[in-house]
């Protein structure tokens, strides 16, 4: 196991370098001076512009710029935004909020999606199964901003169960409604994925053997059917966690959540290259860590899986 983890970490290094190089290239190697966006319609002072270019190494060749950035990453320095604020401070302010939102959404879609999918798979063709499929199809069909506005109106304005916008500090209670909205589409996908996996697993020989040995349903369903059906669901949840971190832009904007998605969108509009590159780099690191954790969970779900280099 330790050798496998070490091997995966070594594999992650070229992946990190390759992805950061691509995003850095797309942001800083394009024609034009990214610093000009700071001045809007005004003509910048040449001396000031030259000093800023020297500060951000924009007067250096592209490969030298990237080397400065890459060496800074390994020292824990993700650079400085064009406004002079270290990007690590922006990350420290926004990432905890989005991580809380993503964790809440992941728990909601994981628990409810697996539970509904399990019951639906065990009751294939029954009323519950048909209803679950209809609801999941409806959620998949609706754009996320429609679900968000409906949730605001129904649960925030009409029923008064939740705030329509997230308050200062983004407390957990304020994040519940946007988390349900963010989890809605993935919940529908997990229901369908779990249902299909349960239907396939319950027809396998080892399940029939377990029933034939006299094991009760309360033992067979959680241990033999559900556990062996969770591998594809676990893979989806792992990759979806990264998607939740990156793809919360619309939800965070509607609910005024001061997180990564809204901050990244604003940075793109302002042409804040260092902020964009730093945020994407952290997201790549999160993806790599989550994928490693998911791979290790396979052995927990299926003892037949062994890791070799």
């Amino acid at each position: 196991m330790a050798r496998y983890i070490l091997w995966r970490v070594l594999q992650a290094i070229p992946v990190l370098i390759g992805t950061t190089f691509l995003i850095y290239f797309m942001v800083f190697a394009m024609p034009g001076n990214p610093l000009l966006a700071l001045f809007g319609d005004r003509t910048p002072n040449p001396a000031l512009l030259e000093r800023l270019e020297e500060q951000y190494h924009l007067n250096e060749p592209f490969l030298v710029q990237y080397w400065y950035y890459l060496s800074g990453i390994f020292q824990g320095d993700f650079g400085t935004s064009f406004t002079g604020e270290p990007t690590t401070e922006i990350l420290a302010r926004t990432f905890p909020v989005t991580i809380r939102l993503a964790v809440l959404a992941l728990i909601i879609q994981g628990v409810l999606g697996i539970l509904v999918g399990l019951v639906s798979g065990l009751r294939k063709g029954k009323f519950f199964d048909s209803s679950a499929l209809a609801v999941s199809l409806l959620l998949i069909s609706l754009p996320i901003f429609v679900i968000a506005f409906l949730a605001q109106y129904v649960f925030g304005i009409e029923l008064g169960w939740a705030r329509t916008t997230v308050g200062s500090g983004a407390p957990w209670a304020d994040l519940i409604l946007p988390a349900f909205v963010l989890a809605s589409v993935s919940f529908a996908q997990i229901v369908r994925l779990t249902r299909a996996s349960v239907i396939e697993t319950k027809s396998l020989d080892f399940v029939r053997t377990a029933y034939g040995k006299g094991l009760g349903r309360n033992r067979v369903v959680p241990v033999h059917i559900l556990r062996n059906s969770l591998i594809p669901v676990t893979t989806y949840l792992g990759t979806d966690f990264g998607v939740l971190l990156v793809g919360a832009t619309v939800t965070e904007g509607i609910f005024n959540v001061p997180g990564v998605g809204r901050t990244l969108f604003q940075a793109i509009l302002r042409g804040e290259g260092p902020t964009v590159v730093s945020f994407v780099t952290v997201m790549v690191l999160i993806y790599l860590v989550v994928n490693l954790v998911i791979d290790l969970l396979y052995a927990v779900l299926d003892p037949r899986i062994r890791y070799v280099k």
Side-chain angles (χ1 to χ4, degrees):
M1 178 72 76
R3 291 181 60 190
Y4 176 78
I5 295 175
L6 178 61
W7 177 246
R8 286 294 304 271
V9 171
L10 293 176
Q11 284 181 321
I13 294 176
V15 174
L16 175 64
I17 294 175
T19 52
T20 53
F21 179 83
L22 287 176
I23 186 62
Y24 200 89
F25 178 84
M26 288 187 289
V27 172
F28 288 105
M30 296 295 101
N33 191 333
L35 288 171
L36 295 178
L38 292 174
F39 300 93
D41 297 331
R42 297 173 298 171
T43 301
N45 183 293
L48 175 60
L49 186 61
E50 183 179 352
R51 189 164 66 250
L52 289 174
E53 288 177 347
E54 182 178 355
Q55 177 182 346
Y56 291 98
H57 307 292
L58 296 179
N59 58 340
E60 303 279 359
F62 171 74
L63 291 178
V64 177
Q65 296 178 39
Y66 177 68
W67 171 251
Y68 277 117
Y69 176 72
L70 188 63
S71 59
I73 289 177
F74 288 100
Q75 298 174 32
D77 180 13
F78 286 85
T80 305
S81 69
F82 288 155
T83 59
E85 184 179 13
T87 54
T88 51
E89 294 183 5
I90 303 176
L91 290 167
R93 185 172 64 248
T94 58
F95 253 94
V97 177
T98 299
I99 287 176
R100 294 207 305 271
L101 178 62
V103 168
L104 271 176
L106 197 70
I107 293 173
I108 292 169
Q109 70 189 37
V111 174
L112 295 181
I114 291 173
L115 180 61
V116 174
L118 173 63
V119 178
S120 182
L122 295 175
R123 297 177 174 271
K124 179 184 175 182
K126 303 295 179 62
F127 176 76
F128 184 90
D129 180 37
S130 302
S131 302
L133 290 176
V135 171
S136 63
L137 180 61
L138 177 64
L139 290 175
I140 293 173
S141 303
L142 287 175
I144 190 69
F145 66 88
V146 173
I147 299 175
F149 285 131
L150 285 174
Q152 275 187 327
Y153 178 75
V154 174
F155 298 104
I157 298 176
E158 291 295 323
L159 299 177
W161 291 355
R163 290 169 56 105
T164 55
T165 58
V166 175
S168 177
W172 286 95
D174 287 2
L175 293 175
I176 292 177
L177 186 58
F180 268 100
V181 171
L182 195 59
S184 59
V185 175
S186 295
F187 161 79
Q189 299 284 5
I190 292 172
V191 167
R192 289 174 168 265
L193 188 60
T194 305
R195 174 185 179 274
S197 187
V198 167
I199 291 173
E200 179 184 359
T201 303
K202 73 178 184 179
S203 64
L204 296 178
D205 291 339
F206 69 87
V207 176
R208 289 196 292 266
T209 301
Y211 279 121
K213 287 182 176 180
L215 293 179
R217 187 180 180 87
N218 292 337
R219 173 71 176 175
V220 174
V221 170
V223 176
H224 296 278
I225 296 179
L226 179 60
R227 183 175 177 180
N228 287 279
S229 300
L230 284 181
I231 289 182
V233 179
T234 303
T235 304
Y236 181 87
L237 286 173
T239 56
D240 193 55
F241 182 69
V243 174
L244 290 173
L245 289 176
V246 180
T249 305
V250 175
T251 305
E252 288 186 354
I254 293 174
F255 287 94
N256 197 34
V257 180
V260 170
R262 195 180 69 165
T263 304
L264 183 58
F265 179 70
Q266 293 173 346
I268 294 173
L269 292 179
R270 294 194 304 265
E272 279 281 354
T275 304
V276 174
V277 172
S278 299
F279 272 53
V280 174
T281 299
V282 173
M283 291 171 186
V284 170
L285 288 171
I286 292 174
Y287 264 114
L288 293 173
V289 172
V290 169
N291 284 333
L292 176 59
V293 172
I294 293 302
D295 285 348
L296 297 178
L297 281 176
Y298 288 158
V300 177
L301 297 172
D302 191 345
R304 296 171 297 178
I305 296 177
R306 292 292 179 266
Y307 294 106
V308 293
K309 175 174 172 264

